[in-house]
Amino acid sequence: MPPIPASMARSPPLGELPPNYTPPARAAAPQILTGSLKAPLWLRAYFQGLLFSLGCGIQRHCGKVFFLGLLAFGALALGLRVAIIETDLEQLWVEVGSRVSQELHYTKEKLGEEAAYTSQMLIQTPRQEGENILTPEALDLHLQAALTASKVQVSLYGKSWDLNKICYKSGVPLIENGMIERAPNVAQELSGGCHGFSHKFMHWQEELLLGGTARDPQGQLLRAEALQSTFLLMSPRQLYEHFRGDYQTHDIGWSEEQAGTVLQAWQRRFVQLAQEALPENASQQIHAFSSTTLDDILHAFSEVSAARVAGGYLLMLAYACVTMLRWDCAQSQGTVGIAGVLLVALAVASGLGLCALLGIAFNAATTQVLPFLTLGIGVDDIFLLAHAFTEAPPGTPLQERMGECLQRTGTSVTLTSINNMVAFFMAALVPIPALRAFSLQAAIVVGCNFAAVMLVFPAILSLDLYRRHCQRLDVLCCFSSPCSARVIQILPQELADSTVPVSIAHLTATVQAFAHCEASSQHVVTILPPQACLVPPTSDALGSELFSPGGSTRDLLSQEEGTRQKAACKSLPCARWNLAHFVRHQFAPLLLRSQAKAVVLVLFGALLGLSLYGATLVQDGLAMTDVVPRGTKEHGFLSAQLRYFSLYEVALVTQGGFDYAHSQRALFDLHQRFSSLKAVLPPPATQTPRTWLHYYRNWLQGIQAAFDQDWASGHITHHSYRNGSEDGALAYKLLIQTGNPQEPLDFSQLTTRKLVDKEGLIPPELFYVGLTVWVSSDPLGLAASQANFYPPPPEWLHDKYDTTGENLRIPAAQPLEFAQFPFLLHGLQKTADFVEAIEGARAACAEAGRAGVRAYPSGSPFLFWEQYLGLRRCFLLAVCILLVCTFLVCALLLLNPWTAGLIVLVLAMITVELFGIMGFLGIKLSAIPVVILVASVGIGVEFTVHVALAFLTTQGSRNLRAARALEHTFAPVKDGAISTLLGLLMLVGSNFDFIVRYFFVVLTVLTLLGLLHGLVLLPVLLSILGPPPEVIQMYKENAEVSSPPAPRAGELRWGVSPTLPQSFARVTTSMTVALHPPPLPGAYIHPASDEPTWFPDATPTANGSSNLTSRESCLATE
């Protein structure tokens, strides 16, 4: 008989084994003969060799690596102390470098941080929905609330600040009147809007005042459901300029920052008093809102909830500990689970600290979502490494355990981590600053998680290995395990008892006993691997080659417990069952039947078809009501505003770089084109367009008419204007201006020119001189125009009785670099309405640009909705690029484009299905779902690449390889999915419905889709379309050895059971089974094991002590 090797841990020469012996291939760590390999497999073997060296090095210096790792990550985590949380909506939402960003920068450069006034709004609605608000009583309550709010005073810097001081253009008088005439018909009074004390400038349209209106067939107003009032305050820059140099602020070091603080304090007090103005039992309710309220919401939105973070991490700690605990204390890894979760938490903190040190600002998405999302993703790899560590090939030396683990799983961990980082980096293509920062931070945190898992966690596993070797309890490592070592003598005649339900040959083939002889005798000692499991043929008719990692040597002996109590510790039945057993015996055989494959393909095809239909239902948009917590007063206001008053104040800004005086016709044309847009609310037919150029021209025409009348009556002559009217005198002074600094006055022009010509244009030489006079003489018109000139025209005071002639010299205004035309947009309910309005406004500005006028639209619709013009294109581009990158990364690391193509196909399906499910759930597409959709490609790799890699590196038919891949990866993939869900579970407790809908729901659906596609669809696709195996069988089975019966139709053949010749079987008929807890308990014993897991150094004494005599391996011969 040929010699039998004592050790088969390394590939032996062919002559050392019987020529008819066929060892099955390992599922997770196939043996590789580098001399006969293809280049891709050799390259991966080289990479795995590097990982092996890394793991061995970490294990040798595990204490040092652990300490230095904690030190490095802890130092990076200190960077959180310099973290900056950004709450400025414009900084968060406006694309950096875009035209909107450039326009916003231009506005701020000319007018300061706050370009225009700030609005404080009151909306009154009936408590009982549907009631008519157009009653004297309701109007009286509205006035009461408005007057209460308008009397707000705040004390700051030793001064008292009220509405009179901070009201927009405070030169306009504030009039209070608490008396309301009992009008017989309030609807008639408010129909068409209402006027202020100046009918010329103060007219508020009906759409600004009333919401939810109803009319009769003749168009008469009948009822309304909402009433609105607006208070206009100066911006911080305007307030600062207004009081700069004033006696009231000369002693407080007045600054623009202080002005902003005054406005914010007044706004908060305004909202508080307005909401409390009406009693609880009133029939009406008041909703108040201000720009500061929105800032406060964003601040609250960005705060870190310590309770939720602690709760989420404690929940993850509990799950990791319970999942990795085992009944066998030596196999339990509860401490490893706890340490792994704490390590990932430290890695997340260090990643965020690094982001802070790099200057990446935090935002609400960072503080509310990222700690939980990255925790779930990071713990996935913790479970994978810990699971693989218990499946070390038999015979692995103690000092190589970590190297072997990284060699088998490092490729998967590297692949998933790189894909996650690439996915988040690609998501940074989304041009929204808040989401770009979130994506960059997620990528950096994933990188820190990867470093922690690959460098520090192996050190933790190595440290725990010594605990297991010393047989200490898990978690309570100070106590020894209650299970003691025993040696059980099995006599030859006992092996023939009926209590052993299998033949000796089958026992040898299944248990994989290894023969060794005593150095001083001819006795043969057979060492049984600690996790081998004796399986009767009747329990697995398919000739299974796979063994559950949950068994032990005690399972072999427990079959004899009916007649003899030989085992020191008996495993409970529930302790012997695990997911691998479930997959091998139930899930994989069922899934890989032909009928089941067809059903799976049909179901996933139907899901894909439904998702394609659901994708057509996805609408663009993100309403403010989704961001603000439900049930709050702020949410009530925004809901009422969205329902009743879809009005947005915008401005058409004209820049410098062109001559306003010679471009008047182009400016009028621009205004006309903009006014004709569908979304622009037209002014009443009887009212002058509300723009500075119209007001300026009309004012000039008015004083020209006064001059003509005074000239005709003789009150004004060539040499005197004192007898004329004030307006006539102003016209006189303007008419004689030449615009020439050397000869500024020409009295002959009094009768030869007009302030406005027949075409309605102002003479260019008079344009900037007249602008100075208009700004100084018509404050109501200037305030109503909201022109915001820059540079502001110089001050000039008209003195009708000046006798020196100096008052005739009027300084010309500097050429304008900034001015604006105000407009109101209405009817904007859906994102498509905003996009249409934005495109129309941009087209009008482009047309004006061809005429030489530089202009752009400004306002919240253009700030926050312009992203939707190219959002879908950006989304498709990012996903396509990411899929290509994923294919390249997988093809590079797997070195198999076939497998990479299948992975990318499944990832594309996950993304499409997630997008379609969003449509069915009513989740709108905005920058936030786009980031998650792009990241779904990387997150989906977590559920697919492990299965694909296990399939690629196993031997056998496609069905068998798919089954082996499932058995090996089902548990870690499942644990990874549950850990991700647990990390997301804490998002449910957020006060913001936005977090729940747009993060928790979407990410939960993504996790479930990834789990189904990775553990159901991908194995089926691999069993049908999978690539050929990379590992070939090194030994061929002897034709004389009978093969097991072929499986019945539809059954899964797990492989051919290795069979030994009868002569070899006789060698093992007399043996001693040595049961001793090895230094590597819990190792996964594959039937292909070619080396005993542990060579005992001594023989135990009769009292069961563990003092074993030294043994040497030798060859067993008959």
Side-chain angles (χ1 to χ4, degrees):
M1 174 180 176
I4 301 174
S7 173
M8 293 171 58
R10 300 292 179 264
S11 301
L14 294 177
E16 293 188 13
L17 285 177
N20 55 358
Y21 178 59
T22 307
R26 295 176 187 165
Q31 288 186 342
I32 295 177
L33 296 178
T34 57
S36 60
L37 288 184
K38 300 177 290 183
L41 198 58
W42 183 88
L43 289 174
R44 180 139 34 84
Y46 177 76
F47 179 67
Q48 289 177 335
L50 296 178
L51 293 174
F52 178 83
S53 301
L54 174 65
C56 292
I58 293 175
Q59 183 171 344
R60 283 195 302 270
H61 308 285
C62 55
K64 299 176 184 177
V65 172
F66 180 69
F67 174 76
L68 292 177
L70 293 184
L71 192 64
F73 284 115
L76 288 176
L78 293 177
L80 288 172
R81 301 182 61 182
V82 298
I84 299 174
I85 298 180
E86 182 63 72
T87 58
D88 186 345
L89 203 57
E90 294 176 357
Q91 297 295 328
L92 292 173
W93 212 249
V94 178
E95 176 184 353
V96 178
S98 66
R99 62 183 178 186
V100 175
S101 176
Q102 295 171 0
E103 293 162 358
L104 187 62
H105 175 73
Y106 184 84
T107 301
K108 290 182 177 181
E109 180 185 1
K110 303 305 178 184
L111 300 183
E113 287 297 318
E114 296 291 340
Y117 57 82
T118 56
S119 299
Q120 324 305 308
M121 290 167 284
L122 295 179
I123 295 179
Q124 178 179 325
T125 58
R127 291 191 182 274
Q128 186 172 353
E129 187 175 350
E131 285 188 356
N132 183 20
I133 203 171
L134 298 180
T135 62
E137 292 77 12
L139 197 59
D140 191 24
L141 290 174
H142 189 80
L143 178 62
Q144 176 184 341
L147 289 177
T148 301
S150 66
K151 294 177 181 178
V152 169
Q153 290 187 355
V154 294
S155 296
L156 283 174
Y157 311 115
K159 310 294 180 182
S160 179
W161 305 89
D162 57 16
L163 185 60
N164 279 311
K165 292 182 178 180
I166 65 176
C167 181
Y168 178 68
K169 299 300 181 184
S170 58
V172 178
L174 178 67
I175 299 177
E176 297 182 4
N177 188 353
M179 299 297 296
I180 292 184
E181 182 180 352
R182 294 293 175 173
N185 192 337
V186 177
Q188 183 177 356
E189 294 293 328
L190 296 181
S191 181
C194 64
H195 291 272
F197 65 87
S198 173
H199 279 245
K200 181 179 179 180
F201 299 112
M202 295 184 176
H203 177 265
W204 295 277
Q205 292 159 276
E206 182 183 305
E207 291 82 359
L208 284 171
L209 304 175
L210 302 178
T213 58
R215 298 180 181 274
D216 62 14
Q218 289 74 34
Q220 296 296 320
L221 180 64
L222 294 179
R223 55 184 292 108
E225 297 180 12
L227 186 62
Q228 177 177 251
S229 292
T230 303
F231 294 77
L232 301 183
L233 307 182
M234 284 187 283
S235 69
R237 166 65 69 87
Q238 292 169 337
L239 185 60
Y240 166 70
E241 294 290 345
H242 184 77
F243 282 99
R244 186 176 61 173
D246 191 272
Y247 74 95
Q248 300 181 67
T249 59
H250 75 280
D251 58 337
I252 62 174
W254 183 241
S255 65
E256 190 171 340
E257 182 180 354
Q258 290 176 325
T261 303
V262 169
L263 288 171
Q264 290 176 357
W266 194 93
Q267 289 171 331
R268 292 189 182 97
R269 185 61 176 162
F270 168 87
V271 172
Q272 179 185 356
L273 291 183
Q275 292 171 343
E276 299 172 355
L278 300 185
E280 292 292 334
N281 59 352
S283 61
Q284 307 292 316
Q285 54 185 348
I286 293 292
H287 309 282
F289 196 80
S290 70
S291 57
T292 301
T293 305
L294 183 59
D295 293 337
D296 292 340
I297 291 173
L298 289 175
H299 277 286
F301 194 31
S302 303
E303 290 180 356
V304 179
S305 175
R308 285 199 298 115
V309 171
Y313 280 68
L314 288 175
L315 186 62
M316 188 69 73
L317 283 170
Y319 175 77
C321 182
V322 171
T323 301
M324 302 177 73
L325 281 173
R326 296 290 184 271
W327 290 95
D328 190 337
C329 301
Q331 297 178 7
S332 184
Q333 290 182 302
T335 304
V336 170
I338 295 175
V341 173
L342 293 176
L343 176 64
V344 171
L346 179 61
V348 171
S350 65
L352 293 176
L354 179 58
C355 293
L357 293 174
L358 293 175
I360 304 176
F362 290 18
N363 56 66
T366 305
T367 58
Q368 296 283 329
V369 178
L370 199 57
F372 306 105
L373 176 61
T374 51
L375 172 67
I377 294 176
V379 173
D380 292 355
D381 293 332
I382 294 294
F383 282 119
L384 180 67
L385 278 179
H387 183 81
F389 196 67
T390 63
E391 294 183 353
T396 303
L398 177 66
Q399 64 271 20
E400 297 180 2
R401 277 296 300 274
M402 200 62 248
E404 185 68 31
C405 179
L406 284 185
Q407 181 179 7
R408 289 184 294 122
T409 60
T411 302
S412 294
V413 174
T414 302
L415 189 57
T416 55
S417 298
I418 290 178
N419 273 283
N420 274 325
M421 286 188 286
V422 171
F424 282 115
F425 278 127
M426 292 304 301
L429 290 176
V430 176
I432 307 304
L435 281 308
R436 177 171 291 175
F438 173 81
S439 301
L440 291 176
Q441 289 162 344
I444 292 174
V445 172
V446 169
C448 290
N449 280 345
F450 173 61
V453 170
M454 292 294 288
L455 298 177
V456 183
F457 188 66
I460 295 175
L461 288 173
S462 301
L463 291 173
D464 186 67
L465 186 64
Y466 293 104
R467 175 198 63 81
R468 298 165 65 189
H469 177 50
C470 296
Q471 304 175 41
R472 296 288 183 178
L473 285 176
D474 192 15
V475 182
L476 304 175
C477 56
C478 297
F479 301 94
S480 300
S481 171
C483 298
S484 59
R486 291 183 60 87
V487 175
I488 303 170
Q489 299 291 335
I490 302 180
L491 301 179
Q493 63 271 18
E494 294 176 358
L495 292 175
D497 293 345
S498 60
T499 55
V500 181
V502 294
S503 64
I504 298 302
H506 184 78
L507 180 140
T508 304
T510 303
V511 177
Q512 288 288 296
F514 297 89
H516 301 274
C517 64
E518 287 279 2
S520 59
S521 67
Q522 298 298 321
H523 294 288
V524 176
V525 179
T526 300
I527 308 299
L528 296 181
Q531 282 193 325
C533 178
L534 184 62
V535 181
T538 56
S539 66
D540 189 357
L542 302 178
S544 174
E545 296 178 3
L546 301 180
F547 286 84
S548 164
S552 65
T553 308
R554 292 186 297 277
D555 297 335
L556 171 66
L557 302 178
S558 63
Q559 301 177 48
E560 304 184 60
E561 286 296 323
T563 56
R564 297 178 303 164
Q565 299 296 329
K566 297 280 185 177
C569 299
K570 179 179 178 180
S571 298
L572 297 175
C574 61
R576 296 195 297 267
W577 186 94
N578 53 41
L579 285 175
H581 181 277
F582 165 73
V583 172
R584 174 160 57 100
H585 290 285
Q586 283 89 31
F587 183 71
L590 176 63
L591 178 66
L592 298 177
R593 293 175 182 269
S594 299
Q595 301 91 331
K597 293 179 185 178
V599 171
V600 167
L601 294 177
V602 169
L603 290 178
F604 277 90
L607 177 60
L608 181 61
L610 285 174
S611 299
L612 290 174
Y613 170 71
T616 63
L617 304 178
V618 178
Q619 299 179 355
D620 294 346
L622 177 62
M624 282 296 296
T625 51
D626 292 333
V627 179
V628 178
R630 294 185 180 273
T632 61
K633 295 179 179 179
E634 293 80 6
H635 188 275
F637 172 87
L638 292 173
S639 300
Q641 185 187 46
L642 182 64
R643 178 178 179 181
Y644 298 116
F645 300 100
S646 59
L647 290 170
Y648 295 87
E649 295 178 340
V650 300
L652 184 59
V653 175
T654 53
Q655 303 172 257
F658 71 97
D659 188 356
Y660 281 71
H662 290 85
S663 303
Q664 296 176 60
R665 176 55 59 195
L667 289 172
F668 283 122
D669 292 341
L670 172 60
H671 176 267
Q672 181 60 35
R673 279 192 296 268
F674 206 93
S675 300
S676 63
L677 296 179
K678 175 184 175 182
V680 173
L681 182 65
T686 58
Q687 184 179 355
T688 303
R690 194 163 55 102
T691 69
W692 67 268
L693 192 55
H694 288 88
Y695 286 148
Y696 177 29
R697 184 183 64 178
N698 293 346
W699 179 81
L700 288 176
Q701 289 174 336
I703 64 173
Q704 178 71 59
F707 173 83
D708 292 341
Q709 184 177 356
D710 289 343
W711 183 272
S713 63
H715 294 155
I716 293 180
T717 64
H718 276 91
H719 305 288
S720 176
Y721 55 83
R722 290 186 178 88
N723 295 326
S725 62
E726 291 287 340
D727 288 346
L730 281 173
Y732 179 95
K733 295 179 179 181
L734 286 174
L735 285 170
I736 63 175
Q737 303 296 318
T738 64
N740 186 349
Q742 283 74 29
E743 297 180 4
L745 304 178
D746 185 357
F747 292 93
S748 65
Q749 297 179 151
L750 287 172
T751 57
T752 60
R753 71 185 300 183
K754 296 291 184 181
L755 297 178
V756 178
D757 63 20
K758 294 180 180 180
E759 296 181 0
L761 302 178
I762 304 168
E765 66 276 8
L766 186 63
F767 186 86
Y768 285 110
V769 176
L771 191 62
T772 298
V773 178
W774 175 64
V775 168
S776 302
S777 306
D778 188 16
L780 285 178
L782 179 64
S785 71
Q786 302 175 24
N788 280 328
F789 292 128
Y790 183 86
E795 292 185 2
W796 176 82
L797 297 178
H798 167 56
D799 184 0
K800 184 178 176 181
Y801 302 100
D802 175 56
T803 58
T804 64
E806 289 298 324
N807 199 238
L808 295 178
R809 299 179 182 274
I810 305 174
Q814 298 181 38
L816 292 177
E817 298 179 17
F818 185 97
Q820 61 184 21
F821 299 153
F823 290 93
L824 282 175
L825 301 184
H826 72 123
L828 303 181
Q829 295 286 346
K830 300 180 180 178
T831 302
D833 301 329
F834 286 94
V835 171
E836 181 183 358
I838 293 171
E839 290 176 341
R842 291 294 181 185
C845 292
E847 184 69 23
R850 287 187 284 271
V853 174
R854 300 178 57 192
Y856 61 86
S858 175
S860 58
F862 304 98
L863 240 63
F864 307 121
W865 275 272
E866 185 148 342
Q867 58 169 302
Y868 296 105
L869 295 179
L871 184 63
R872 295 201 176 219
R873 178 186 57 81
C874 180
F875 163 55
L876 290 176
L877 178 64
V879 169
C880 292
I881 294 177
L882 180 55
L883 288 174
V884 172
C885 291
T886 302
F887 174 81
L888 295 177
V889 171
C890 292
L892 180 64
L893 291 182
L894 296 179
L895 298 167
N896 191 303
W898 191 337
T899 305
L902 288 177
I903 292 174
V904 169
L905 173 63
V906 173
L907 295 178
M909 290 181 63
I910 292 174
T911 303
V912 172
E913 290 164 6
L914 178 61
F915 188 67
I917 292 174
M918 283 172 49
F920 288 115
L921 294 176
I923 297 176
K924 296 180 180 180
L925 185 67
S926 63
I928 294 168
V930 163
V931 167
I932 297 177
L933 286 166
V934 174
S936 68
V937 178
I939 296 174
V941 173
E942 297 276 353
F943 304 100
T944 56
V945 73
H946 305 309
V947 177
L949 183 59
F951 176 87
L952 190 63
T953 56
T954 52
Q955 175 190 340
S957 65
R958 285 192 175 106
N959 273 2
L960 178 59
R961 293 160 61 207
R964 284 174 170 169
L966 271 176
E967 181 180 22
H968 179 68
T969 60
F970 191 92
V973 171
K974 181 269 303 179
D975 287 336
I978 294 179
S979 68
T980 302
L981 291 175
L982 288 177
L984 298 174
L985 187 61
M986 288 298 101
L987 299 180
V988 180
S990 175
N991 295 328
F992 296 89
D993 185 63
F994 165 79
I995 292 293
V996 177
R997 283 176 54 81
Y998 284 83
F999 283 99
F1000 172 74
V1001 173
V1002 176
L1003 288 172
T1004 299
V1005 172
L1006 169 60
T1007 304
L1008 295 178
L1009 285 175
L1011 192 64
L1012 289 175
H1013 285 74
L1015 297 182
V1016 178
L1017 177 62
L1018 183 59
V1020 170
L1021 291 178
L1022 290 172
S1023 69
I1024 300 173
L1025 304 172
E1030 291 183 341
V1031 182
I1032 60 173
Q1033 193 167 349
M1034 291 183 296
Y1035 308 107
K1036 295 186 178 180
E1037 186 178 8
N1038 193 309
E1040 299 177 0
V1041 182
S1042 60
S1043 300
R1048 296 186 297 274
E1051 291 183 342
L1052 176 65
R1053 176 188 289 275
W1054 287 87
V1056 180
S1057 300
T1059 308
L1060 297 180
Q1062 185 65 25
S1063 60
F1064 181 65
R1066 286 197 297 271
V1067 177
T1068 62
T1069 55
S1070 178
M1071 64 181 181
T1072 299
V1073 180
L1075 284 182
H1076 185 276
L1080 313 174
Y1084 181 87
I1085 304 304
H1086 195 277
S1089 56
D1090 39 21
E1091 176 178 314
T1093 304
W1094 173 248
F1095 296 98
D1097 296 328
T1099 302
T1101 60
N1103 59 3
S1105 66
S1106 57
N1107 297 323
L1108 303 178
T1109 61
S1110 175
R1111 297 180 182 272
E1112 295 182 1
S1113 302
C1114 66
L1115 301 178
T1117 58
E1118 186 178 21

